[in-house]
């Protein structure tokens, strides 16, 4: 075979013959071969009109996709595994990430040559989608932007043809996602992705074989990122068509014992809810399945669950539950059911959670913030919960050392603002409790020698809420007299409580 006139390197067909199998090579061998191929493509003009060169280029693409997509080194270790997995060092992580950038550069060179056939399109897209989340340990900024650029170029042409794009999505779900989840399908589903009327008992998987039953978790964790990317591409029609391919992997991820995977499952479901038709959730019976799956996560609280894991899980669960509820019950006919569901989330999640872990300020902050979201979703129907929510805000705002953690104060003030906006007809009845918390907190911040920027912002928000309360109740004679008594007690309140 001929050599490159520019570099003296071997021809591409010769290089292909020397490429080792990815699953039989170590990272050093893969690195050496990736660098050799990248150097050849960077410094040579490849004539793909020559059949041997075109065949070799396609073979290089297939080999590079396999080498670049491999993420087993970053996967979790199976509990009670027969052979402990070696811990990957920071230096090894750098090598792996460097190899993946080199692999993407090779694919970029090949993309410029336009050698990809449609038969290899799904494999290429799956490889590129692997690097669409900067939070993944195998993704660097270089690999992220390379993948995004190539995806935009590749998908731009495919999306123009709806049938071709639908076929691509089908291949991604059928050939790349589904095979990795076959051994861990939830027993609550039928083969059509519907709720099983009488589900069979789940098969217990021995821990020694857990890695074999969950390759998506222990061998190919990148498939979660690929699955996320696929869900982002769907519209309502495509969701309905691919429903049996989407739901089993999604429920499997949600049901996993790993808290980071539960969080990932919530994120995946939230993406799906943006486009899923509400009627499909009810026809399939999966609206209630998702709800019942998520509700127990609201009690993953300290001390049984570490705070560092509890906070992101609670945050993702509340957001997804709210999105699920608002998606399921969009019509006016289902309004009463929507309110009952929101009531259950607040009582079972917020109030129980605050009782068990309210002394943890970051947990309390999150619960108060999610209470604000629920109050806004309920509207006027939030008034039934004021007897439970107002004591929480009052406790936070009047706590002796409340100013030590301004985010919790700000969250409480925002909750009061939401209560006033949505539950204003009951404002007069609860005015004493509302004013007590706001005024005590405002006074303490004012008395701070050098209040932080965050405390100053809280003080300004309190003033806005107080002005709203005063104006809303300005026609109430009893309220006017009470405000006058407060102004007489403290001259600093003269302007603040002016009617």
């Amino acid at each position: 075979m001929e050599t490159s006139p520019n570099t003296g390197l071997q021809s591409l067909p010769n290089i292909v013959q020397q490429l080792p199998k990815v699953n039989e090579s170590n990272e050093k061998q893969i690195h050496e071969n990736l660098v050799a191929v990248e150097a050849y493509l960077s410094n040579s003009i490849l004539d793909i009109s020559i059949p041997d060169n075109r065949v070799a280029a396609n073979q290089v693409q297939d080999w590079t996709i396999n080498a670049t997509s491999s993420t087993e080194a970053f996967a979790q270790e199976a509990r009670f595994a027969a052979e402990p997995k070696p811990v990957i060092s920071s230096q090894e992580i750098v090598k792996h990430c460097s190899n993946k950038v080199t692999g993407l550069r090779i694919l970029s060179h090949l993309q410029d040559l336009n050698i990809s056939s449609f038969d290899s399109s799904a494999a290429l897209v799956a490889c590129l989608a692997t690097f669409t989340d900067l939070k993944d340990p195998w993704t660097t900024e270089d690999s992220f932007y390379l993948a995004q650029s190539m995806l935009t170029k590749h998908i731009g042409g495919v999306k123009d043809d709806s049938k071709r794009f639908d076929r691509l999505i089908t291949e991604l779900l059928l050939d790349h996602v589904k095979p990795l989840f076959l051994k861990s399908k939830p027993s609550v589903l039928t083969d059509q992705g519907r709720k099983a009327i009488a589900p069979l008992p789940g098969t217990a998987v021995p821990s020694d074989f857990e890695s074999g039953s969950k390759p998506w978790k222990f061998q190919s964790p990148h498939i979660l990122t690929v699955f996320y990317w696929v869900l982002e591409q769907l519209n309502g029609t495509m969701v309905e068509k691919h429903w049996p391919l989407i739901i089993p992997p999604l429920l499997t991820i949600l049901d996993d014992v790993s808290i980071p995977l539960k969080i990932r499952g919530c994120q995946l479901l939230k993406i799906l809810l943006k486009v899923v038709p509400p009627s499909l959730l009810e026809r399939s019976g999966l609206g209630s399945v998702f709800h019942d799956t998520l509700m127990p996560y609201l009690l993953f609280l300290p001390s049984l669950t570490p705070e560092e894991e509890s906070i992101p899980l609670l945050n993702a669960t509340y957001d997804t539950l709210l999105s699920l509820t608002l998606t399921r019950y969009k019509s006016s006919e289902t309004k009463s059911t929507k309110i009952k569901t929101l009531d259950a989330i607040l009582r079972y999640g917020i109030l129980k959670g605050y009782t068990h872990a309210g002394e943890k300020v970051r947990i309390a902050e999150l619960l108060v913030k999610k209470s604000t979201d629920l109050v806004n979703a309920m509207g006027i129907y939030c008034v039934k919960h004021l007897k439970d929510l107002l004591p929480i805000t009052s406790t936070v705002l009047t706590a002796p050392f409340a100013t030590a953690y301004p985010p919790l104060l700000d969250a409480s003030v925002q909750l009061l603002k939401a209560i006033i906006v949505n539950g204003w007809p009951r404002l007069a009845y609860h005015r004493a409790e509302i004013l007590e918390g706001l005024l005590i907190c405002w006074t303490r911040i004012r008395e701070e020698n050098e209040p932080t920027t965050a405390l100053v912002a809280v003080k300004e928000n309190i003033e806005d809420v107080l002005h709203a309360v005063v104006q809303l109740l300005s026609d109430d004679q009893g309220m006017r007299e009470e405000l006058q008594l407060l102004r007489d007690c403290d001259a600093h309140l003269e302007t603040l409580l002016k009617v």
Side-chain angles (χ1 to χ4, degrees), residues 39-332:
Y40 178 87
L41 293 174
S42 298
N43 297 285
S44 303
I45 300 175
L46 186 66
D47 185 0
I48 60 170
S49 64
I50 300 174
D52 284 351
N53 282 347
R54 190 170 188 86
V55 170
N58 277 290
Q59 291 173 334
V60 166
Q61 177 176 271
D62 293 342
W63 183 86
T64 306
I65 286 173
N66 290 332
T68 307
S69 299
S70 175
T71 54
E72 185 172 359
F74 299 90
Q76 299 181 34
E77 180 181 1
R79 292 177 297 166
F80 311 113
E83 295 182 6
K85 181 182 175 182
V87 178
I88 184 170
S89 67
S90 57
Q91 291 180 338
E92 289 173 320
I93 290 176
V94 171
K95 291 179 182 178
H96 280 283
C97 292
S98 175
N99 284 350
K100 296 186 184 311
V101 172
T102 305
L104 289 172
R105 286 178 182 151
I106 293 171
L107 294 175
S108 181
H109 288 306
L110 295 174
Q111 186 181 53
D112 293 338
L113 295 173
N114 197 26
I115 60 102
S116 295
S117 63
F118 185 73
D119 292 335
S120 64
S121 180
L124 175 60
V125 170
C127 176
L128 298 178
T130 298
F131 303 95
T132 52
D133 189 347
L134 279 168
K135 294 179 182 177
D136 289 331
W138 57 81
T139 302
T140 62
E141 288 191 6
D142 288 341
S143 59
F144 174 80
Y145 290 115
L146 266 172
Q148 289 286 7
S149 174
M150 294 172 66
L151 273 174
T152 301
K153 184 176 179 180
H154 187 81
I155 296 299
V158 179
K159 271 191 172 181
D160 294 337
D161 185 340
S162 59
K163 290 184 179 179
R164 190 180 176 198
F165 185 62
D166 185 70
R167 182 182 161 193
L168 171 64
I169 295 298
T170 302
E171 287 191 13
L172 286 168
L173 290 170
L174 194 61
D175 299 336
H176 294 268
V177 177
K178 182 180 178 179
L180 298 177
F181 289 86
L182 280 176
K183 295 182 180 179
S184 52
K185 178 185 172 184
S187 60
V188 296
L189 291 179
T190 65
D191 292 337
Q192 290 74 36
R194 297 176 179 273
K195 180 180 179 180
I197 297 176
L200 296 172
T203 303
V205 181
S207 296
D208 287 346
F209 303 102
E210 189 177 12
S211 60
S213 67
K214 297 182 178 180
W216 57 271
K217 179 178 179 181
F218 299 110
Q219 281 91 43
S220 305
H222 69 278
I223 202 62
L224 301 182
T225 305
V226 175
F227 190 34
Y228 188 95
W229 182 88
V230 170
L231 294 183
E232 287 185 311
Q233 311 308 311
L234 301 178
N235 55 39
T237 304
M238 295 172 73
V239 166
E240 191 150 4
K241 179 179 179 180
H242 300 299
W243 192 249
L245 296 174
I246 294 170
I247 298 306
L250 180 54
L251 268 177
T252 299
I253 297 166
L254 276 171
D255 283 338
D256 196 81
V257 296
S258 167
I259 288 182
L261 287 175
K262 291 182 187 294
I263 295 170
R264 191 62 163 168
C266 289
Q267 295 167 345
L268 290 165
L269 176 56
K270 193 174 179 183
I271 286 291
L272 181 64
L273 290 171
K274 291 181 180 180
V275 293
V276 66
S279 59
L280 180 57
L281 282 174
E282 297 313 306
R283 289 201 315 270
S284 63
L286 290 180
S288 59
V289 171
F290 286 134
H291 178 85
D292 294 342
T293 300
L294 292 172
M295 284 297 285
Y297 300 169
L298 300 181
L299 295 183
F300 277 56
L301 298 161
S303 57
L304 292 179
T305 304
E307 189 172 346
E308 293 73 20
E309 293 184 341
S310 175
I311 289 175
L313 177 60
L314 291 175
N315 188 53
T317 303
Y318 277 110
D319 288 349
T320 307
L321 267 174
L322 182 57
S323 180
L324 174 64
T325 303
L326 298 181
T327 300
R328 291 178 70 191
Y329 308 117
K330 283 186 176 180
S331 65
S332 56

Side-chain angles (χ1 to χ4, degrees), residues 397-414:
L397 294 172
T398 60
F401 302 104
T403 54
Y405 192 68
L408 179 54
L409 291 179
D410 185 63
S412 300
V413 174
Q414 296 303 322

Side-chain angles (χ1 to χ4, degrees), residues 423-443:
W424 61 268
R426 297 292 293 165
L427 186 58
Y429 182 82
H430 294 284
R431 64 180 185 268
E433 194 167 12
I434 293 173
L435 287 173
E436 177 190 22
L438 292 172
L439 290 174
I440 288 177
C441 186
W442 184 86
T443 302

